[in-house]
Amino acid sequence: MASWLPETLFEIVGQGPAPSKDYYQLLVTRSQVIFRWWKISLRSEHRSAKPGEAKDTHEEFLENSHLQVQIALIFGARVLDYVFNLCEGKFDFLERLSDNLLLSIISYLDLEDIARLSQTSRRFAKLYIFVYESFPMTTFAIMEFKLTEGKMSEGSLSPVPVYYLTDGIT
């Protein structure tokens, strides 16, 4: 694994499916998958239940179907798929970059490409909204006119706007 990755790769907490009131935590570190649970019940037989914890290495987790089923039931299939990818060494490096670095990278993209990128994750959607709302259109985009053959009048040329993301310096 890359050494610049944080110790905790992923963490999620949640309540079990109804009618359960149990509380769960899933933590994926560089070397382990840790699953914790707390039994919440008014019944006398569960009052003395202590919190539990299951720790597996990434390799053990990939073979532990019981734990995989529990995670899928509590957190959903998408979380399970994501944890599988982390355990197999498939990291989302782009998501782990700082906002400043991502904004620097985005500044080299066309507006259309930024809009497409914003559809890939919630984080990129938030960055797109930040960029779009932070810069007025006069500095955010430069109009470039291409001459194309017009269809409304005979052989006339009409301008078609094309937008480019810039830093506002022309």
Side-chain angles (χ1 to χ4, degrees):
M1 288 187 206
S3 61
W4 60 270
L5 288 173
E7 180 59 31
T8 301
L9 301 176
F10 179 70
E11 182 177 8
I12 187 169
V13 295
Q15 187 176 354
S20 172
K21 301 289 184 199
D22 299 346
Y23 184 75
Y24 298 92
Q25 177 190 33
L26 176 64
L27 185 68
V28 181
T29 67
R30 287 191 210 177
S31 60
Q32 291 183 322
V33 175
I34 303 167
F35 184 69
R36 296 182 178 124
W37 62 91
W38 293 263
K39 198 104 174 120
I40 312 286
S41 177
L42 295 175
R43 294 184 180 176
S44 59
E45 65 266 15
H46 295 295
R47 284 189 187 169
S48 61
K50 295 181 180 175
E53 179 178 78
K55 288 185 179 182
D56 284 348
T57 65
H58 290 184
E59 294 78 21
E60 293 169 346
F61 173 76
L62 293 172
E63 297 173 7
N64 188 343
S65 61
H66 177 69
L67 185 55
Q68 294 169 14
V69 168
Q70 284 184 314
I71 290 171
L73 286 174
I74 296 162
F75 299 112
R78 290 180 127 189
V79 169
L80 180 62
D81 288 341
Y82 185 68
V83 172
F84 259 111
N85 286 333
L86 290 176
C87 290
E88 292 173 344
K90 299 174 186 174
F91 301 108
D92 52 348
F93 289 106
L94 199 56
E95 282 281 339
R96 296 182 181 282
L97 296 176
S98 69
D99 286 346
N100 288 337
L101 185 55
L102 284 175
L103 286 171
S104 177
I105 293 169
I106 286 173
S107 70
Y108 291 98
L109 299 176
D110 292 335
L111 186 58
E112 185 178 320
D113 293 332
I114 296 171
R116 285 189 193 128
L117 180 64
S118 72
Q119 296 172 354
T120 62
S121 74
R122 290 183 186 145
R123 182 168 180 217
F124 290 129
K126 288 177 186 175
L127 284 173
Y128 173 74
I129 291 169
F130 170 77
V131 168
Y132 189 78
E133 290 178 350
S134 296
F135 302 101
M137 287 305 286
T138 56
T139 60
F140 183 67
I142 295 176
M143 293 282 275
E144 177 186 282
F145 291 95
K146 288 184 178 178
L147 296 176
T148 59
E149 199 168 38
K151 304 233 176 186
M152 297 183 112
S153 58
E154 303 172 337
S156 68
L157 298 174
S158 61
V160 177
V162 177
Y163 299 98
Y164 294 97
L165 178 65
T166 68
D167 58 5
I169 302 171
T170 45

